[in-house]
Amino acid sequence: FSYGLTDNFSLSGGFETFTLFNGEAPLFFISPKFTFPNKKKDVHFGIGGNLVLIPDGSSRFIAGSLFGITTFGNKNNNFTLGAGYAFSEDGFSQAPAVQIGGQFRLGKSFMIVTDHIIVFDNSDAFVGGTWTARYISSKVSIDIGLVAEYSSGVLPILGVGIKF
């Protein structure tokens, strides 16, 4: 889900369902974001965070990030670049994480949406992200795509947005 509580503050969240098929609790996430008003129509600044509750047997592992982002473009075609720090129960990462994303309109009803993160950890890096095709109508949007942790593989994803 994602809900704009004000023109400059939104709250998103969700869960995955694959672990339910194994009889485990699902992964949950919540992500607040604040955007700063800006007079330039094609440049937007924001700060936010993510909190993820990851199933780990009978308990949960907590992870997330705090970030700043800049988006260039309009609501139909844009590019986002961000940086922040990942955290877990063990503390904050020593090196920053980088976020890269964008939306590209393919016509009245279709869009490609991509969002990727690179988390640096000493000499290693975690790289993951999503590639989705979005169908858009006046009241509903549907995302179908893949989520990838590039060293491990990909999983299909489905998202539905309802405007109210």
Side-chain angles (χ1 to χ4, degrees):
F1 74 89
S2 186
Y3 186 73
L5 299 168
T6 70
D7 286 346
N8 298 98
F9 182 72
S10 65
L11 186 62
S12 299
F15 61 94
E16 56 79 33
T17 57
F18 287 107
T19 54
L20 291 174
F21 297 118
N22 291 336
E24 297 179 26
L27 174 146
F28 286 96
F29 71 91
I30 190 163
S31 181
K33 184 172 79 171
F34 178 80
T35 56
F36 296 96
N38 186 15
K39 294 183 185 212
K40 289 187 174 186
K41 291 184 179 183
D42 290 344
V43 179
H44 305 278
F45 305 99
I47 58 172
N50 299 297
L51 180 64
V52 183
L53 302 174
I54 304 165
D56 187 18
S58 61
S59 64
R60 293 190 182 272
F61 181 75
I62 298 172
S65 66
L66 299 172
F67 59 83
I69 58 172
T70 302
T71 300
F72 304 93
N74 56 45
K75 68 179 182 176
N76 292 311
N77 297 294
N78 58 62
F79 173 76
T80 297
L81 183 60
Y85 284 89
F87 65 86
S88 69
E89 295 171 347
D90 299 329
F92 278 89
S93 61
Q94 296 298 312
V98 176
Q99 179 184 353
I100 302 168
Q103 298 184 135
F104 308 97
R105 181 73 78 152
L106 299 175
K108 180 181 176 190
S109 299
F110 292 97
M111 178 178 276
I112 298 294
V113 182
T114 182
D115 191 23
H116 303 275
I117 188 164
I118 304 165
V119 179
F120 299 98
D121 183 22
N122 297 327
S123 62
D124 199 13
F126 163 85
V127 182
T130 60
W131 292 94
T132 57
R134 177 173 291 166
Y135 167 76
I136 305 160
S137 73
S138 62
K139 295 285 185 184
V140 175
S141 67
I142 300 171
D143 290 355
I144 298 172
L146 299 171
V147 60
E149 195 279 296
Y150 291 105
S151 65
S152 298
V154 299
L155 292 172
I157 55 172
L158 172 67
V160 177
I162 301 169
K163 186 176 181 179
F164 59 96

